[in-house]
Amino acid sequence: MTVGRALQGIGTGFTVPSAQAITTTIYLAGAERNTASSVFGGTAAVGSIIGVLLGGWRWMFYIAAIIGFILTVLSVVVIPAAKAQGKVEDRRLDYFGITSITF
């Protein structure tokens, strides 16, 4: 159980910054980006609270995988593909940040 929780934290450490980067590069600054960031932050907070309250720790692992798969498929339809405005040259990973957020 502890190993599964650690792996879940590491996975979150990889996906959350990537998802936030996609949100800030795809949507234009202003109301559109603010709405996307609000939905991202709100659903993450509410989802983690409801998941623990309704399913408990054990079911959270199973439900998270199912919901994650459904949202991945929906993101292909919802997120526009060619709307990015800028080109980022620096694509280095912050290894210290990734490891420190998971512990």
Side-chain angles (χ1 to χ4, degrees), residues 4-39:
R5 184 73 176 139
L7 289 175
Q8 186 180 26
I10 291 169
T12 302
F14 282 118
T15 58
V16 170
S18 300
Q20 191 63 36
I22 290 170
T23 302
T24 56
T25 57
I26 288 179
Y27 295 101
L28 298 174
E32 189 177 31
R33 185 182 294 172
N34 293 343
T35 302
S37 294
S38 299
V39 169

Side-chain angles (χ1 to χ4, degrees), residues 1-102:
M1 185 69 144
T2 304
V3 173
R5 184 73 176 139
L7 289 175
Q8 186 180 26
I10 291 169
T12 302
F14 282 118
T15 58
V16 170
S18 300
Q20 191 63 36
I22 290 170
T23 302
T24 56
T25 57
I26 288 179
Y27 295 101
L28 298 174
E32 189 177 31
R33 185 182 294 172
N34 293 343
T35 302
S37 294
S38 299
V39 169
F40 178 80
T43 54
V46 171
S48 49
I49 292 169
I50 290 176
V52 172
L53 291 177
L54 294 181
W57 287 104
R58 182 169 297 206
W59 275 99
M60 190 170 81
F61 293 110
Y62 302 122
I63 299 300
I66 294 168
I67 292 174
F69 177 75
I70 292 169
L71 290 177
T72 301
V73 172
L74 286 176
S75 69
V76 173
V77 177
V78 174
I79 298 173
K83 199 172 181 183
Q85 297 294 318
K87 185 174 183 179
V88 178
E89 296 293 330
D90 186 13
R91 298 202 183 266
R92 295 177 292 167
L93 287 177
D94 179 15
Y95 292 106
F96 177 74
I98 291 171
T99 54
S100 66
I101 197 169
T102 58

